[in-house]
Amino acid sequence: MYSITSVKDLAELGPYIIIGAGGGGEKFSNFTGVKTAGFLDDASEKQGTEFCGHIVGSDLKTLIKKTNSRAVAIMLPIGAEGAALKYAVQAIDLGQNVVTSFRSLSLENNSSLIKFADQNNVSIKEISSRFDNVKKVMGIAPEKCTEILPKLTYSHKVPVIFVGGTSQECGKRTTTKTLGETAKKMGLNAIIISTDEMGIEEPTDINYRAGSLSVMDVPSSVMGTVKYMEENKDPDIIFIEGQSSLTETGNPHPKGLSAAILFGAMPDAVILCHRPNHPFREPIGIKYELNAIEAVEPTKVIGLSINRRNAPEESLENIEEEFNLPAVDIYTNSNGGIIRLLNCILDYVGDLE
């Protein structure tokens, strides 16, 4: 009754004043049949500028008087629920229909708005999360939106190193921790960020299971962790453990998680882990993972950590020659081991300063 599942339902309520002169607002205005009467945004730098053919306003009541609007569409991001609630109440009080999204303002969590709209003889509806269709095809669905963290835009100030891999269980956790521990022994204030449930082992400066979050929240959680560490721990360098792989074929489900951690880390450089002859995963190899990492994020793979548990005779020298990158085995301390890998990182980030 209060859920919108078609653009026809949207079109019948408008024309709209759209709250949010950004990506969500533009997307809403582009829906077929939706008529836009104007835009409003709290950001002072947007007010008075042109957006999608309209001058962005600063006051809802004024816009309603100046336009032929019959509805207000609240297209604000997660983290702006207070502003969304304010505009919903004001719009209803001014006799406008209201459309919101489960990200901007969940009606399930604000049922009093429905009563208020009924009292004022207007409609308030929410663009559906379409969990009904998820349940239809999978037999189960979340009870509500699992995306809850505010979006961050943060540029780290110290070097960040992402430790990725060609598969699950290839050495990412051990490589991350060993790099961080070795850096600390060298006198650097190194921070180790673990992102899996096994991060309870020492040494780890902070751990959370990234896979417990919506993949939409993972970049914010990683970025927020880096921000917290820079503001509270004054690090010299930060090492972030990746999860799974962008290219592993046998288990495609965590690929999005791997990418999300990489996006949130925005690393200066990447160490790539690989386990030849993996007994229970299906990596397709260093070349493909390296290309995938450098294609989706503006960073550089600068070293390889080779886990030879199932391939003790694997030649590190051959791998190094093939990829023109340092290739070490930190488990047996071969071909320079962890010291060589760390020095490679420090030489590289030194060039970035």
Side-chain angles (χ1 to χ4, degrees):
M1 182 177 180
Y2 299 103
S3 183
I4 287 180
T5 59
S6 75
V7 290
K8 182 180 178 181
D9 294 337
L10 279 180
E12 290 175 350
L13 294 174
Y16 289 90
I17 290 172
I18 301 174
I19 311 293
E26 181 181 28
K27 183 180 293 185
F28 187 90
S29 70
N30 287 334
F31 281 135
T32 303
V34 165
K35 295 181 179 179
T36 303
F39 283 89
L40 185 149
D41 202 289
D42 280 346
S44 58
E45 66 272 16
K46 294 183 179 182
Q47 294 167 2
T49 65
E50 185 174 328
F51 184 79
C52 295
H54 297 269
I55 300 299
V56 178
S58 59
D59 180 72
L60 182 57
K61 187 174 182 179
T62 301
L63 270 181
I64 290 172
K65 287 182 177 180
K66 290 172 58 178
T67 66
N68 64 339
S69 70
R70 295 178 54 242
V72 170
I74 302 173
M75 296 293 114
L76 297 176
I78 287 174
E81 289 82 3
L85 181 59
K86 176 191 73 174
Y87 283 120
V89 171
Q90 187 181 10
I92 293 170
D93 196 42
L94 291 168
Q96 298 279 299
N97 300 309
V98 173
V99 171
T100 182
S101 73
F102 58 90
R103 287 188 177 92
S104 295
L105 190 65
S106 168
L107 295 187
E108 181 183 358
N109 296 330
N110 295 277
S111 58
S112 60
L113 287 175
I114 297 174
K115 296 179 182 178
F116 187 40
D118 289 342
Q119 290 170 4
N120 284 268
N121 297 314
V122 295
S123 296
I124 183 166
K125 295 191 176 184
E126 175 184 293
I127 297 176
S128 173
S129 62
R130 299 323 307 257
F131 287 145
D132 56 326
N133 281 338
V134 175
K135 190 169 185 178
K136 177 181 178 180
V137 300
M138 298 300 295
I140 189 172
E143 293 184 4
K144 59 179 68 176
C145 173
T146 55
E147 182 189 351
I148 61 172
L149 297 185
K151 299 296 177 285
L152 292 181
T153 301
Y154 181 74
S155 298
H156 52 80
K157 300 171 182 61
V158 303
V160 170
I161 309 302
F162 176 82
V163 180
T166 59
S167 69
Q168 297 179 78
E169 288 84 37
C170 67
K172 295 184 291 293
R173 182 172 65 250
T174 302
T175 299
T176 308
K177 292 184 176 183
T178 307
L179 281 169
E181 184 178 30
T182 305
K184 290 178 180 183
K185 289 178 180 178
M186 291 176 61
L188 294 174
N189 185 12
I191 293 294
I192 304 167
I193 299 175
S194 295
T195 57
D196 76 311
E197 69 273 25
M198 302 302 179
I200 57 176
E201 301 170 342
E202 296 293 337
T204 294
D205 294 284
I206 192 167
N207 160 251
Y208 62 94
R209 187 171 187 263
S212 297
L213 299 171
S214 159
V215 72
M216 290 285 284
D217 278 342
V218 171
S220 284
S221 70
V222 175
M223 215 175 288
T225 304
V226 170
K227 181 175 184 289
Y228 175 89
M229 289 299 177
E230 288 197 332
E231 291 176 348
N232 292 276
K233 301 295 183 180
D234 193 26
D236 296 314
I237 190 169
I238 297 174
F239 297 95
I240 299 178
E241 171 197 6
Q243 292 300 311
S244 185
S245 157
L246 296 176
T247 61
E248 183 183 351
T249 58
N251 183 14
H253 308 290
K255 287 184 177 181
L257 176 62
S258 180
I261 298 172
L262 176 62
F263 294 148
M266 298 190 299
D268 295 297
V270 174
I271 297 299
L272 182 59
C273 302
H274 177 58
R275 184 175 177 178
N277 297 335
H278 205 306
F280 48 91
R281 298 295 180 190
E282 300 177 37
I284 61 173
I286 293 171
K287 173 184 174 182
Y288 296 96
E289 188 72 23
L290 187 156
N291 289 340
I293 288 172
E294 293 185 352
V296 301
E297 181 68 17
T299 188
K300 182 74 175 174
V301 175
I302 62 169
L304 305 172
S305 176
I306 309 299
N307 180 345
R308 296 188 294 176
R309 180 180 301 179
N310 305 105
E313 303 304 318
E314 186 82 22
S315 170
L316 298 174
E317 289 76 12
N318 288 346
I319 295 174
E320 190 164 305
E321 183 177 353
E322 179 180 357
F323 295 100
N324 195 29
L325 291 172
V328 308
D329 183 341
I330 68 168
Y331 301 89
T332 61
N333 207 31
S334 301
N335 207 26
I338 196 67
I339 294 295
R340 183 178 179 214
L341 201 59
L342 181 58
N343 283 334
C344 168
I345 292 169
L346 297 178
D347 288 344
Y348 184 79
V349 298
D351 292 339
L352 295 177
E353 294 176 352

